[in-house]
């Protein structure tokens, strides 16, 4: 029975409760005549609470390109089969190429899903139910020639993987009759996101290039799957380019049920697109599209890592991308896929891909054992080699006596379509020659060239300074004459407490300048290799300091050299916008606390802001503000007598300086006559402006724009002083690259009541590595939200002015951090190797960026899924420091599969196969052993063995092992390793002196930790 409710405005609500699932027909008539579109057909789905799904088949594990694969999905609710309504089950496949899946029902609640791909790589198989992703599988596909030959080499497929998913029954929306005057049926109803799923097959055979707009048409459909005839739906799109950088995109409503997404790619690489329709993400999103360089693409492979190496040692080669003019061109690391297949273990290695400079990508991998390794390279999902390159890996002793050189491999894009990249490569004959390298620093065996000698000199080998360019020089000679070599054959590694990326410059005369800029103080070790072999018998030890002088008195007077000044002047075009002037003053002499920036030599930052920099009216006071702070942020205490303001013009001017007490000084001046004036400010006798600011003073009593603005300046200043402002939000501390961040400004009057002001009076500016255009949102209740998005990682300073007056006193530092990379993010903890039923088992997720560096801020979203014999409770806690605690509580013993995903992709090591036991209270303790008798410049090794509570050694890895060592010159670099057999090791270099350290397993000290070593 249907219930009809008269709304009293000419419209009627029709409500009914379906007795069961199935197809229903709705007839609507007015005065016995059917309205337009009647009868309507709808599909009613059964309730989905407690839905259980199981998956089995090779199609969710692995496959070979060109061969169809399939898997079976079974659904049930309670103990009964649960058939999914037609059209509600979808499978989207994303990866190196776009493809579609075939879904057939072979029995009640049993679905056979099959598909085929033609490009090697890893694909995401997304099972979607009623518009929501139910399960995602990561499935690798290889060429038939690369697949294991024997059936025994193929991993056995689990009999069954089950996931229990709790879903909520969708709210029943009341069906309304159409107004008699419109009779449009469903034409004007909001589009249905499920019916409007993204079809990326149209992108498959199209090549997109930089500099040309990318257009993609979105077709909106109603609940019946029919294309709409009208527009008006809310369609939004987000586009991210290489490195996760946000790209501006527009969506045009074509008013015919279609919408065009448009953006102009300026850089080549892999772009990710996500589309929402009426607030719901379309199935198949996000999807990727490859943008090629407009001038074509060529690729060069270089490096010894393509030919031979030794087990356990890093092998390196380079991928260089060029356009047809042989100019370097970036395509982003996402567009590069490296497959390294170990023939002995039948496993793929996980290489590290780092963009070193424009069009140059460094590939590093570590072979675990001797044997042959097959290396294949793909760009934009297409293999660039006709066949994989075979790299021969030997034991360490063999590798030390023989080395071979691999010539460059050049490939080019030969066809305007994305049909493939072809390669031409001739296998060279190995040549081995001996030569002396470094009569001053040692000698090794080398393939090319013979008789090469190297010498190393420079201050950067003796000491270093944080934040400075520390340099040294490498000179190569042959037969006493300068010998120029390929700079790619030379490698410099600087390791220490802070991240260092040394830069090598070829001076084209046989010498090479090395520059490194450490970010932290401490002890650093410098090693140099040539053609893959070290030219030093041991790493050189360099002490890096921050260059500061520590004062022992709390109140001192210091006089230094004449200050040096670098300035940056930024002006705006609009007459009513205050001018902002910024300057950096270093080497000044001050009186104050020893912590003042002027005493450490880090410099003073000066800025000018205020309406008085734009002009005034004769006889009317005008003001602007001088702000002084250290480069690192804190305010600098200087005396007002050290500041001089010089204003010259048509009339006499005597400015006054008022110390606000927080590093800010208010300058007030009154021009006696109309005309043009110039303003210059001096700090400690040095001008802070490259050239004076020129402003215009209007005649007294003249009604002009300048006079109006200037007369209002004093009123604005008075209004600013009468306000109380509070700032709230995480966006005042940190933000993620390419993602929206925000904070809130709360404005109140002197009596504490909310105070609304015009949002135009709020000015927010950012200073940093990239331009940021903040958005001020007025909530009309005295609160304002500031939204911003940064496109470059780094440190920024934000300034906030209300009525032209700073509410911060000094700029506030904000850190913009990179997004996590799933391929580098790792997890640790004993819960990843063994679980205890009924117990809260905990492990940690360690977020890392695309360079493998740890992220130190929270706010990212990770997904953890499990499949096993019983339901499990999963909780994820953001620790705010780049780590995330996962509490996993299984209700029964057995085998569990745990997936850890970021952005829909598996993190490194995921998925995990974990055994759950019924025993309780399992703990870990560890034996610890360190060599107490060390020698000068010796590599120290720590090795621990993890034990369970019964004292038995563990046979599996997965615990989080960390070692920290502090030496005479500060914290030193320690390299840790999980040996995957229950043992863990750490290595570090020591010189003479005392070393203190600790070793922890899963956050707890192991036996013998902390420890102290004394090296003589």
């Amino acid at each position: 029975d249907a219930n009809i409710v008269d709304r009293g405005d000419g419209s009627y609500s029709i409500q009914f409760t379906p007795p069961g699932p199935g197809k229903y027909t709705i007839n609507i008539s007015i005065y016995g005549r059917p309205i337009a579109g009647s009868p309507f057909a709808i599909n009613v789905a059964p309730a989905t609470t407690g839905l259980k799904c199981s998956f089995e088949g090779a199609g969710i594990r692995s496959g070979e390109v060109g061969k169809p694969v399939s898997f079976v999905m079974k659904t049930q609710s309670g103990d009964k089969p649960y058939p999914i309504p037609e059209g509600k089950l979808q499978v989207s496949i994303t990866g190196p190429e776009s493809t579609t899946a075939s879904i057939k029902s072979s029995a009640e609640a049993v679905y056979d899903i099959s598909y085929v791909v033609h490009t090697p790589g890893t694909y995401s198989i997304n099972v979607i139910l009623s518009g929501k992703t139910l399960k995602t599988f990561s499935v690798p596909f290889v060429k038939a020639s690369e697949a294991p030959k024997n059936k025994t080499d193929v991993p056995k497929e689990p009999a069954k993987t089950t996931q229990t998913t709790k879903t909520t029954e969708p709210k029943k929306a009341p069906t309304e009759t159409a107004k008699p005057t419109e009779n449009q049926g469903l034409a004007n109803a909001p589009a249905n996101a499920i019916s409007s799923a993204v079809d990326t097959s149209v992108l498959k055979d199209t090549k997109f290039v930089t500099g040309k707009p990318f257009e993609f048409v979105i077709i909106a459909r109603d609940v019946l799957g029919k294309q709409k005839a009208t527009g008006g739906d809310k369609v939004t799109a987000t586009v991210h380019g290489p490195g996760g950088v946000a790209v501006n995109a527009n969506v045009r409503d074509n008013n015919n049920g279609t919408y065009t997404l448009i953006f102009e790619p300026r850089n080549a690489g892999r772009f990710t697109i996500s589309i929402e329709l009426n607030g719901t993400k379309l199935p198949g999103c996000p999807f990727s599209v490859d943008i090629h360089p407009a001038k074509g693409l060529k690729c060069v492979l270089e490096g010894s890592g393509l030919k031979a190496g030794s087990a356990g040692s890093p092998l390196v080669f380079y991928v260089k991308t060029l356009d047809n003019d042989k100019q370097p061109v970036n395509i982003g690391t996402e567009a590069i896929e490296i497959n390294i297949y170990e023939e002995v273990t039948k496993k793929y290695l996980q290489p590290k891909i780092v963009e070193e400079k424009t069009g140059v990508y460094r590939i590093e991998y570590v072979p675990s054992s001797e044997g042959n390794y097959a290396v294949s390279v793909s760009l934009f999902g297409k293999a660039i080699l006709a066949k994989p390159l075979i790299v021969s890996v030997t034991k360490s002793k063999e590798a030390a006596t023989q080395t071979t050189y691999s010539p460059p491999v050049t490939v080019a894009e030969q066809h305007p379509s994305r049909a493939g990249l072809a390669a031409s490569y001739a296998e060279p004959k190995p040549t081995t020659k001996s030569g002396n390298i470094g009569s001053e620093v040692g000698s090794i065996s080398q393939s090319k060239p013979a008789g090469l000698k190297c010498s190393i000199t420079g201050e950067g080998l003796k000491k270093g300074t944080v934040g400075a360019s520390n340099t040294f020089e490498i000179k190569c000679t042959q037969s006493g004459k300068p010998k120029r070599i390929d700079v790619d054959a030379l490698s410099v590694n600087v390791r220490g407490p802070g991240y260092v990326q040394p830069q090598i410059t070829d001076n084209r005369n046989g010498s090479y300048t090395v520059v490194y800029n450490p970010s932290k103080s401490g002890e650093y070790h410098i090693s140099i290799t040539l053609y893959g072999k070290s030219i030093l018998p041991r790493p050189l030890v360099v002490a890096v300091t921050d260059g500061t002088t520590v004062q022992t008195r709390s109140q001192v007077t210091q006089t230094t050299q004449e200050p040096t000044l670098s300035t940056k002047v930024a002006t705006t075009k609009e007459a009513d916008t205050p001018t902002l002037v910024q300057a950096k003053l270093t080497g000044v002499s001050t009186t104050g606390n020893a912590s003042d920036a002027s005493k450490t030599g880090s410099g003073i930052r000066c800025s000018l802001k205020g309406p008085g920099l734009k002009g005034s009216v004769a006889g009317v006071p005008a003001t602007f503000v001088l702000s002084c702070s250290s480069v690192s942020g804190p305010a600098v205490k200087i005396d007002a007598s050290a500041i001089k303001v010089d204003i010259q013009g048509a009339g006499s001017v005597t400015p006054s300086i008022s110390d606000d007490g927080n590093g800010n000084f208010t300058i007030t001046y009154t021009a006696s006559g109309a005309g043009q004036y110039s303003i210059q400010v001096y700090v400690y006798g040095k001008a802070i402006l490259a050239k004076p600011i020129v402003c215009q003073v209007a005649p007294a009593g003249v009604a002009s724009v300048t006079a109006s603005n200037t007369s209002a300046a004093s009123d604005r200043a008075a209004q600013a002083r009468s306000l109380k402002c509070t700032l709230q939000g995480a966006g005042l501390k940190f933000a993620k690259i390419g993602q929206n961040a925000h904070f809130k400004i709360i404005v109140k009057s002197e009596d504490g009541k909310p105070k609304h002001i015009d949002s135009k009076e709020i000015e927010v500016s950012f200073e940093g590595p990239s331009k940021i255009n903040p958005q001020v949102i007025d909530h009309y209740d005295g609160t304002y939200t500031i939204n911003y998005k940064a496109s470059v990682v780094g440190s920024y300073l934000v300034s906030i002015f209300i009525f032209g007056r700073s509410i911060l006193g000094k700029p506030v530092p904000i850190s913009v951090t990179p997004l996590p990379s799933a391929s580098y993010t790792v997890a640790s903890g004993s819960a990843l190797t063994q679980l205890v039923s009924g117990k809260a088992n905990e492990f940690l997720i360690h977020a890392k960026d695309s360079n493998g560096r740890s992220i130190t801020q929270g706010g990212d979203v990770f997904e953890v899924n499990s499949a096993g014999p019983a339901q499990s409770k999963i909780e994820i806690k953001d620790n705010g420091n780049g780590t995330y605690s996962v509490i996993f509580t299984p209700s029964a013993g057995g085998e569990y599969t745990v997936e850890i995903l970021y952005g829909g992709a598996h993190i490194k090591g995921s998925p995990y196969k974990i055994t759950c036991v019924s025993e309780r209270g399992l703990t870990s303790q560890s034996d610890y052993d360190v060599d107490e008798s060390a020698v000068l410049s010796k590599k120290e090794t720590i090795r621990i063995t993890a034990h369970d509570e019964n004292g038995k050694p563990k046979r599996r890895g997965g615990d989080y092992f960390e070692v920290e060592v502090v030496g005479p010159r500060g914290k030193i670099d320690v390299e840790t390793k999980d040996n995957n057999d229950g043992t863990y090791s750490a290595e570090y270099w020591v010189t003479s002196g005392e070393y203190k350290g600790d070793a922890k397993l899963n956050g707890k000290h192991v036996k013998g930790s902390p420890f102290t070593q004394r090296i003589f």
Side-chain angles (χ1 to χ4, degrees):
D1 293 336
N3 183 29
I4 301 176
V5 179
D6 188 348
R7 292 185 169 185
D9 60 353
S11 65
Y12 302 82
S13 294
I14 303 174
Q15 302 174 352
F16 71 102
T17 302
K23 294 182 178 180
Y24 288 75
T25 301
I26 303 175
N27 295 280
I28 304 175
S29 301
I30 297 179
Y31 296 112
R33 299 183 62 182
I35 67 172
S38 180
F40 303 98
I42 65 172
N43 203 0
V44 176
T48 60
T49 303
L51 175 65
K52 293 183 179 180
C53 302
S54 64
F55 305 88
E56 52 186 326
I60 58 175
R61 300 301 170 197
S62 62
E64 297 179 23
V65 296
K67 294 184 179 181
V69 292
S70 63
F71 62 97
V72 175
M73 173 181 176
K74 298 179 181 179
T75 56
Q76 64 182 62
S77 180
D79 297 327
K80 297 180 179 180
Y82 170 76
I84 299 175
E86 185 178 355
K88 296 298 182 181
L89 177 61
Q90 295 177 324
V91 175
S92 71
I93 302 174
T94 58
E97 71 175 44
S98 298
T99 187
T100 57
S102 171
I103 305 175
K104 296 181 179 179
S105 178
S106 58
E108 185 180 16
V110 178
Y111 304 88
D112 294 327
I113 302 168
S114 60
Y115 61 99
V116 61
V117 300
H118 302 279
T119 303
T122 301
Y123 290 74
S124 293
I125 313 300
N126 307 290
V127 181
I128 302 168
L129 182 60
S130 298
K132 296 183 179 180
T133 300
L134 179 67
K135 184 71 175 177
T136 299
F137 299 95
S138 182
V139 182
F141 280 81
V142 299
K143 292 182 178 179
S145 59
E146 300 175 351
K149 301 299 182 182
N150 301 323
K151 294 183 179 181
T152 56
D153 293 334
V154 182
K156 292 183 179 181
E157 179 185 326
K160 193 174 185 180
T161 303
T162 305
Q163 171 174 312
T164 300
T165 304
K166 292 185 177 181
T167 60
T168 56
E169 186 172 351
K171 296 181 179 179
K172 301 171 182 176
T175 305
E176 298 183 6
T177 62
K179 296 182 180 179
T181 56
E182 296 177 350
N183 290 336
Q184 295 297 319
L186 297 178
N188 293 322
N192 181 272
I194 307 304
S195 302
S196 309
V198 169
D199 179 12
T200 57
S201 61
V202 296
L203 306 176
K204 184 176 180 181
D205 297 321
T206 305
K207 179 182 176 182
F208 303 96
V209 298
T210 56
K212 294 185 178 181
F214 171 91
E215 295 190 7
F216 181 76
V217 177
I218 305 153
I219 302 175
R221 302 181 184 276
D222 58 27
V223 294
L224 302 178
K226 296 181 179 179
Q227 180 177 339
K228 292 191 60 182
T230 60
D233 292 295
K234 183 180 180 181
V235 181
T236 58
T238 56
V239 180
H240 290 88
V245 177
V247 178
N248 291 330
N250 297 315
V251 177
R252 182 180 67 225
D253 188 344
N254 301 320
N255 296 316
N256 61 357
T258 67
Y259 303 81
T260 303
L261 164 65
I262 305 174
F263 70 91
E264 184 171 335
R266 299 182 178 180
N267 300 317
R270 182 156 290 170
F271 287 67
T272 303
I273 303 173
S274 184
I275 302 171
E276 290 189 359
L277 178 63
N278 296 323
T280 302
K281 183 182 293 186
L282 295 183
C285 289
F287 62 93
S288 61
V289 61
D290 293 331
I291 305 297
H292 291 242
K295 295 184 178 181
L297 180 63
K298 293 184 177 181
C299 178
V300 178
L301 305 180
E302 294 180 355
S304 58
L306 290 171
K307 189 61 183 177
S310 58
S313 298
L315 299 183
V316 176
F317 65 96
Y318 294 86
V319 177
K320 296 184 178 181
T321 51
L322 311 168
D323 60 22
N324 290 338
D325 296 334
K326 297 184 179 180
Q327 296 298 314
V329 59
N330 275 342
I331 62 172
T333 57
E334 298 89 346
I336 301 175
E337 182 180 355
I338 309 294
N339 286 319
I340 302 175
Y341 183 71
E342 186 176 0
E343 294 184 355
V344 175
T345 62
K346 309 298 183 183
K347 294 181 180 179
Y348 283 91
L349 299 186
Q350 180 67 41
K352 182 179 181 181
I353 307 176
V354 177
E355 181 180 332
E356 289 206 335
K357 57 184 178 181
T358 302
V360 179
Y361 301 88
R362 186 177 189 269
I363 316 299
E364 179 178 329
Y365 64 100
V366 180
S368 59
S369 59
E370 62 178 329
N372 289 335
Y373 291 74
V375 179
S376 58
V377 181
S378 298
L379 301 184
F380 296 114
K382 300 296 181 181
I384 66 172
L385 298 171
K387 61 179 181 179
L389 299 176
I390 304 301
V391 179
S392 177
V393 174
T394 60
K395 292 182 179 179
S396 300
K397 290 184 178 180
E398 297 173 353
T401 58
Q402 179 178 338
T403 180
T404 56
Y405 173 69
S406 176
V409 182
T410 304
V411 296
E413 192 171 26
Q414 299 179 335
H415 194 273
S417 70
R418 286 184 56 218
L421 299 175
S424 176
Y425 176 71
E427 188 83 24
K429 295 182 178 180
T431 58
T432 302
K433 296 183 179 181
S434 299
N436 296 324
I437 297 184
S439 59
E440 302 162 21
V441 295
S443 63
I444 61 171
S445 297
Q446 182 65 31
S447 58
K448 289 188 178 181
L452 186 66
K453 295 183 179 180
C454 297
S455 63
I456 311 171
T457 58
E459 289 298 316
L461 297 173
K462 303 174 183 178
K463 60 182 180 179
T465 304
V466 172
S469 295
N470 306 278
T471 63
F472 60 89
E473 189 174 65
I474 303 173
K475 294 183 179 179
C476 299
T477 59
Q478 187 180 38
S479 301
K481 297 181 180 180
K483 176 63 178 178
R484 187 183 178 193
I485 62 173
D486 186 353
V487 70
D488 289 331
L490 184 63
S491 175
V492 178
N493 187 16
V494 181
R495 301 188 63 180
Y499 174 74
V500 180
Q501 179 64 54
Q503 301 294 324
I504 305 175
T505 301
D506 185 352
N507 301 324
R508 299 180 179 272
N509 59 359
S511 68
Y512 303 84
T513 300
V514 180
V515 180
Y516 66 96
N517 190 334
S519 59
K520 296 180 181 179
S521 60
E523 189 175 277
Y524 286 74
H525 296 83
I526 299 177
S527 58
I528 304 171
T529 59
L530 189 60
Y531 292 103
K533 291 296 180 180
S534 174
I535 65 175
L536 298 170
R538 58 191 179 189
L540 298 175
V541 180
V542 179
V544 174
T545 63
D546 59 10
T548 61
T549 302
V550 179
Q551 299 287 345
T552 57
R553 299 169 56 190
S554 60
Q555 190 79 11
V556 296
T557 301
Q558 180 180 355
T559 303
T560 66
Q561 73 278 8
E562 282 294 310
T564 57
L565 177 70
S566 61
T567 64
K568 179 181 179 182
V569 181
T571 59
T572 55
K573 296 181 180 179
E574 300 182 8
D576 59 347
T577 304
T579 300
L580 172 64
V581 183
Q582 297 175 332
K584 179 182 177 183
L585 187 65
T586 61
V588 301
S589 62
T590 65
T591 300
N593 293 329
S595 61
D596 287 352
S598 57
K599 294 220 169 121
T600 64
S602 57
I604 297 176
R605 189 191 304 274
C606 300
S607 65
L608 299 177
K609 198 163 190 178
L613 297 173
K614 281 296 182 182
S616 63
V617 177
V620 178
T623 63
F624 59 91
V625 176
L626 165 67
S627 298
C628 299
S629 64
S630 69
V631 175
S632 59
V636 175
K637 298 178 182 179
I638 63 176
D639 194 275
S641 61
I643 301 172
K644 179 184 176 182
V645 180
D646 183 23
I647 302 178
Q648 302 290 335
S652 61
V653 180
T654 304
S656 63
I657 303 174
S658 175
D659 188 348
D660 296 343
N662 57 356
N664 291 339
F665 300 85
T666 299
I667 290 92
T668 304
Y669 69 93
T670 303
S672 59
Q676 185 171 283
Y677 287 75
S678 65
I679 301 174
Q680 180 62 276
V681 179
Y682 299 83
V683 177
Y684 290 102
K686 291 293 181 179
I688 71 169
L689 302 173
K691 59 181 179 179
I693 296 176
V694 178
C695 62
Q696 193 71 28
V697 173
V702 175
S704 64
V705 174
T706 303
S708 174
N709 289 340
T710 307
S711 62
S714 58
D715 294 338
R716 296 172 73 244
Q719 291 183 65
R721 287 191 292 270
S722 67
L723 298 177
K724 295 181 179 180
C725 300
T726 305
L727 303 178
Q728 295 179 352
L732 277 172
K733 296 181 180 180
F734 64 88
K736 294 288 184 179
I737 181 174
Q739 292 189 350
N740 288 320
H742 62 272
F743 59 88
K744 182 178 289 187
I745 302 176
I746 302 174
V747 181
K748 295 183 180 181
S749 59
E750 289 182 325
D751 58 4
K753 295 181 179 180
K755 176 70 174 178
H756 176 262
I757 61 175
D758 192 336
S759 60
K760 294 181 180 179
E761 299 293 351
I762 300 177
E763 182 181 353
V764 181
S765 62
F766 288 82
E767 178 189 353
S770 67
K771 183 179 180 181
I772 295 180
N773 296 316
Q775 178 188 18
V776 181
I777 301 176
D778 188 348
H779 300 294
Y780 298 96
D781 59 356
T783 64
Y784 305 81
T785 297
I786 312 301
N787 286 336
Y788 67 93
K789 184 187 295 185
S791 60
V792 177
V793 171
S795 297
Y796 293 74
L797 292 173
V798 59
S799 301
I800 304 174
F801 291 81
I802 295 182
F803 291 115
R805 191 178 183 90
S806 172
I807 68 173
L808 296 174
K810 61 181 179 181
V812 172
I814 293 176
S815 175
V816 176
T817 58
L819 294 173
S821 168
S823 59
Y824 286 99
T825 296
V826 297
S828 65
S830 57
L832 294 173
T833 58
Q834 189 177 64
L835 298 168
V836 180
S837 63
K839 178 186 176 182
N841 302 267
E842 182 175 356
F843 60 86
L844 278 178
I845 300 173
H846 305 266
K848 295 179 182 290
D849 62 20
S850 58
N851 290 320
R853 294 193 291 265
S854 296
I855 294 176
T856 58
Q857 304 286 357
D860 296 301
V861 179
F862 288 87
E863 179 184 355
V864 179
N865 299 319
S866 71
Q871 293 187 4
S872 302
K873 181 180 179 182
I874 301 176
E875 299 177 43
I876 304 177
K877 177 186 176 183
D878 187 342
N879 299 320
N881 60 359
T883 67
Y884 301 80
S885 297
V886 180
I887 311 297
F888 181 54
T889 308
S891 58
E895 295 293 330
Y896 286 81
T897 299
V898 176
E899 296 178 333
I900 307 175
L901 308 173
Y902 176 77
H906 287 276
I907 71 168
K908 188 176 181 179
S910 175
Y912 295 88
K913 303 291 184 180
I914 311 173
T915 301
C916 179
V917 298
S918 300
E919 301 173 4
R920 300 176 59 87
L922 292 179
T923 59
S924 294
Q925 59 181 356
S926 303
D927 292 332
Y928 167 78
D929 182 29
V930 63
D931 185 2
E932 295 288 347
S933 57
V935 296
L936 182 64
S937 297
K938 179 183 177 183
K939 181 182 286 187
E940 285 294 305
T941 300
I942 296 175
R943 183 182 177 89
I944 74 164
T945 302
H947 292 72
D948 59 24
E949 66 169 356
N950 297 321
K952 295 181 179 180
K954 287 188 174 182
R955 300 301 181 189
R956 299 174 64 181
D959 295 301
Y960 182 50
F961 177 52
E962 55 184 330
V963 177
E964 183 176 292
V965 179
V966 178
R969 298 183 180 93
K971 185 178 178 181
I972 64 176
D973 187 52
V974 180
E975 189 172 327
T976 59
K977 181 180 180 181
D978 183 348
N979 300 316
N980 297 315
D981 59 359
T983 67
Y984 304 84
S985 58
E987 293 181 342
Y988 57 95
W989 287 87
V990 297
T991 57
S992 60
E994 183 178 87
Y995 291 79
K996 294 183 178 181
D998 55 55
K1000 296 179 180 179
L1001 193 68
N1002 299 326
K1004 296 181 180 180
H1005 284 279
V1006 301
K1007 184 180 179 181
S1009 175
F1011 62 89
T1012 300
Q1013 288 178 279
R1014 292 177 177 84
I1015 311 300
F1016 301 100

